[in-house]
């Protein structure tokens, strides 16, 4: 009698790449800004804007190129990061174009700098966006593995210091030395320094985190680190204060120090680092504010935005607060607000107030939710990363992005003094757009490594030698 044995072979199931999901979301991320562009044109002129076809095709082409590169070089990357960044970039282009159409803004600039001095910013921002996506493509093609960046830990620190110190040697713009002027071009190096500093902190803390976490003494419920381990945070604190003093750049100082404290907490899981960070930053900020006139002025504008003296010197914060108030819950509608009264900063530092007035409170909540989703996907990438350097780098980049959104939104809404930084992706500025596209590219590279299926274990030679002997 023969015995028939049925055998079933279960093969490995490949993890889904989610690239088609990303493509579908990208279509929405392009259609929504195009719809907003049409809405602005109808609200201002009562007819379709002439450039809607070119804008739609241009944004779609840039998004398509970025998607193809992700599909080719980062197959398992997070499917939400690219569509969210594209949506923010597209909406920012629409709002900058909407402010370009303001007759009051044009007349104000021409009365200040002479007839014909006004030039629209939307075409330049579109060019910066194209360069930013080219940088995004370049990072994904060149950076095959994010762990390579760990080799350049201390070189990154040196480059970041150079970038942060360089603006000291150039003239101040609106009271702050944060720009480098190279002929017709201006660069804000602090935008790129935040990425490079995150790379340095990730490499440094990966080596030192055990000493920082374990070699400490308990005092009043807090774990106090040893003096030798406290050195780096003291140095970083001192550097952030020096930046604030010599460049009067409150935003970069907050970003620099906050990023280090967040990464220290994640690396060591010690709450005491958060307490130390808050105390040291408060001491430094109060100390500098006692003798630095520019910081004192920012604090005075923040505390009394509608005072006569403040209004004579700068009415931007007061105008921004009134923009939020006039927007109400549902907003005035795209193209129907008066945020252009803010002046030259309406499309850069204060562009959030333009969205607040024309989208209303409901739109602002949705707008900030998009930023929150980018941060959440970055943190999720950090949790999924298999290597400690990738975990720290992903949390550092997400933390830098979150801090920048907080200090800009908090400054424009009156929660904290105005810092002079720009809202990522939506505000006018080439440095900001380029740096944030590079930041998204690195996050996508880390998420690709984290979500990629683990390689199958190599077959054991002993398995071939095993025999089952039946009696």
């Amino acid at each position: 009698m023969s015995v028939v044995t049925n055998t079933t072979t279960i093969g490995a199931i490949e993890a889904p790449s989610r690239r088609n999901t990303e493509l579908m979301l990208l279509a929405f991320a392009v259609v929504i800004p195009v719809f907003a562009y049409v809405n602005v044109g109808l609200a201002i002129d009562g007819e379709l804007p002439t450039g809607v076809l070119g804008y739609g095709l241009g944004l779609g082409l840039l998004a398509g190129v970025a998607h193809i590169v992700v599909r080719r070089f980062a197959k398992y990357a997070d499917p939400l990061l690219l569509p969210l960044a594209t949506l923010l970039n597209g909406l920012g282009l629409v709002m900058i174009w909407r402010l370009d159409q303001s007759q009051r803004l044009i007349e104000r600039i021409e009365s200040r700098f002479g007839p014909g001095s006004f030039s629209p910013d939307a075409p330049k921002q579109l060019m910066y966006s194209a360069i930013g996506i080219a940088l995004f493509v370049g990072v994904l093609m060149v950076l095959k593995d994010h762990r390579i960046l760990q080799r350049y830990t201390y070189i990154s620190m040196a480059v970041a210091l150079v970038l942060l110190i360089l603006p000291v040697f150039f003239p101040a713009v609106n009271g702050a030395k944060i720009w480098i002027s190279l002929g017709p071009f201006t660069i804000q190096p602090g935008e790129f320094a935040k990425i490079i500093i995150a790379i340095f902190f990730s490499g440094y803390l990966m080596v030192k985190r055990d000493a920082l976490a374990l070699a400490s003494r308990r005092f009043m419920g807090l774990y106090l680190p040893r003096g030798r381990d406290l050195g780096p945070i003291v140095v970083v604190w001192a550097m952030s204060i020096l930046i604030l003093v010599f460049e009067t750049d409150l935003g970069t100082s907050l970003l620099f120090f906050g990023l280090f404290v967040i990464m220290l907490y994640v690396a060591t899981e010690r709450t005491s680092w958060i307490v130390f960070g808050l105390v040291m930053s408060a001491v430094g900020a109060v100390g500098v504010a006692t003798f630095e006139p520019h910081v004192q002025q920012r604090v005075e504008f923040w505390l009394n935005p509608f005072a006569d003296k403040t209004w004579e010197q700068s009415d931007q914060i007061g105008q921004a607060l009134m923009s939020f108030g006039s927007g109400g819950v549902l907003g005035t509608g795209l193209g129907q607000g008066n945020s252009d009264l803010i002046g030259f900063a309406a499309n850069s530092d204060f562009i959030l107030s333009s969205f607040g007035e024309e989208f209303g409170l409901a739109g602002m909540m949705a707008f900030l939710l998009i930023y929150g989703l980018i941060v959440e996907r970055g943190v999720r990438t950090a949790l999924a990363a298999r290597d400690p350097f990738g975990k720290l780098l992903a949390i550092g980049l997400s933390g830098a992005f979150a801090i920048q959104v907080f200090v800009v939104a908090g400054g424009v809404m009156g929660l904290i003094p105005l810092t002079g930084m720009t809202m990522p992706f939506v505000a006018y500025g080439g440095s900001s757009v380029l740096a944030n596209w590079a930041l998204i590219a690195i996050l996508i590279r880390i998420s690709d490594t984290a979500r990629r299926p683990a390689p199958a274990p190599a077959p054991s030679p002993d398995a071939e030698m095993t025999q089952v002997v039946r009696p």
Side-chain angles (χ1 to χ4, degrees):
M1 185 176 67
S2 63
V3 178
V4 178
T5 303
N6 294 324
T7 59
T8 303
T9 302
I10 301 177
I13 300 175
E14 188 177 8
S17 67
R18 305 295 185 193
R19 296 281 64 83
N20 291 333
T21 304
E22 180 184 82
L23 182 60
M24 184 180 65
L25 292 174
L26 266 179
F28 281 106
V30 172
V31 167
I32 291 173
V34 171
F35 178 75
Y37 188 69
V38 171
N39 200 343
V40 172
L42 291 174
I44 295 177
D45 300 324
E47 57 186 20
L48 287 176
T50 55
V52 64
L53 184 61
Y55 172 72
L57 290 176
L59 187 61
L61 180 63
L62 292 175
V65 169
H67 170 72
I68 291 172
V69 171
V70 173
R71 186 179 283 269
R72 171 69 178 81
F73 293 97
K75 181 180 177 182
Y76 296 98
D78 188 293
L80 282 180
L81 285 170
L82 179 59
L84 291 171
T86 304
L87 177 59
L88 286 173
N89 203 161
L91 288 174
L93 284 167
V94 171
M95 186 56 73
I96 292 169
W97 179 79
R98 174 259 178 278
L99 292 168
D100 282 345
Q101 310 308 307
S102 168
Q103 286 300 319
R104 284 184 300 212
L105 206 57
I106 295 173
E107 291 171 2
R108 177 181 290 195
I109 291 176
E110 291 190 341
S111 65
R112 184 177 179 184
F113 299 103
S117 58
F118 175 80
S119 63
D121 290 326
K124 290 181 280 187
Q125 183 73 358
L126 184 59
M127 180 188 70
Y128 295 145
S129 301
I131 298 173
I133 291 181
L135 182 60
F136 171 89
V137 169
V139 170
L140 283 181
M141 293 178 68
V142 172
L143 187 64
K144 304 292 186 185
D145 188 338
H146 64 272
R147 288 169 293 188
I148 296 174
L149 296 174
Q150 189 182 346
R151 301 175 187 171
Y152 307 103
T153 297
Y154 291 98
I155 294 177
S156 301
M157 187 60 194
V159 173
L161 285 176
V162 171
L163 289 176
L164 289 172
I165 293 171
L166 271 180
V168 175
F169 304 102
F170 289 84
V173 178
N174 298 322
K177 293 184 176 182
I178 57 176
W179 296 93
I180 295 175
S181 299
L182 300 173
F185 299 100
T186 56
I187 301 172
Q188 192 173 355
E191 290 284 350
F192 299 96
K194 66 184 180 187
I195 300 175
I196 301 172
I197 286 173
I199 294 171
F200 163 71
F201 286 163
S202 302
Y204 175 82
L205 291 174
M206 199 188 74
V207 176
K208 299 289 185 180
R209 61 178 180 170
D210 289 339
L212 290 166
L214 302 176
S216 40
R217 300 171 182 172
R218 189 177 175 84
F219 178 72
M220 296 180 64
L222 298 176
Y223 288 93
L224 300 177
R226 297 179 304 184
R228 73 185 74 168
D229 302 323
L230 192 64
I233 193 170
V234 173
V235 170
V236 172
W237 174 75
M239 288 171 58
S240 66
I241 297 300
L242 289 175
I243 292 170
L244 182 58
V245 171
F246 290 107
E247 301 179 3
T248 58
D249 184 7
L250 183 60
T252 303
S253 180
L254 284 173
L255 176 64
F256 190 27
F257 191 71
L259 173 62
F260 190 48
V261 172
I262 288 175
M263 295 183 71
L264 267 174
Y265 173 69
V266 172
T268 62
E269 300 180 3
R270 295 293 193 195
T271 312
S272 54
W273 285 110
I274 298 292
V275 177
F276 285 134
L278 291 175
V279 170
M280 294 177 75
S281 58
V283 170
V286 171
V288 173
T290 56
F291 66 87
E292 176 54 50
H294 182 73
V295 178
Q296 291 175 356
Q297 189 183 51
R298 289 290 178 101
V299 174
E300 179 63 25
F301 289 173
W302 169 54
L303 294 176
N304 303 294
F306 297 104
D308 293 339
K309 184 179 178 182
T310 301
W311 207 262
E312 290 173 1
Q313 296 177 348
S314 174
D315 61 351
Q316 291 176 345
I317 296 180
Q319 293 282 9
L321 294 177
M322 287 194 286
S323 295
F324 285 115
S326 64
V329 176
L330 299 178
T332 59
L334 274 171
Q336 300 180 42
N338 294 298
S339 60
D340 51 345
L341 291 172
I342 294 173
F344 69 93
N347 62 359
S348 53
D349 295 11
F350 289 91
I351 196 169
L352 194 65
S353 63
S354 303
F355 283 104
E357 181 176 11
E358 301 190 356
F359 285 176
L361 177 63
M364 276 297 297
M365 297 301 291
F367 198 72
L368 293 176
L369 184 62
I370 299 174
Y371 284 107
L373 279 174
I374 291 179
V375 176
E376 188 270 341
R377 301 310 292 188
V379 173
R380 185 184 288 263
T381 297
L383 292 174
R386 302 188 182 105
D387 62 297
F389 178 78
K391 285 181 181 294
L392 287 170
L393 184 55
I395 204 70
L397 295 176
S398 306
F401 193 85
I403 292 172
Q404 184 165 354
V405 171
F406 170 75
V407 296
V408 176
V412 174
M413 294 179 180
L415 183 64
I416 60 174
L418 195 65
T419 58
M421 300 186 78
T422 56
M423 205 69 178
F425 288 116
V426 299
Y428 173 72
S431 303
S432 176
V433 172
L434 266 63
N436 285 299
W437 272 114
L439 184 150
I440 293 294
I442 297 174
L443 278 180
I444 283 181
R445 169 56 65 209
I446 299 173
S447 71
D448 174 57
T449 307
R451 295 161 59 93
R452 186 177 291 276
S460 171
D462 296 337
E464 298 179 358
M465 300 173 62
T466 303
Q467 295 182 356
V468 178
V469 180
R470 299 183 183 279

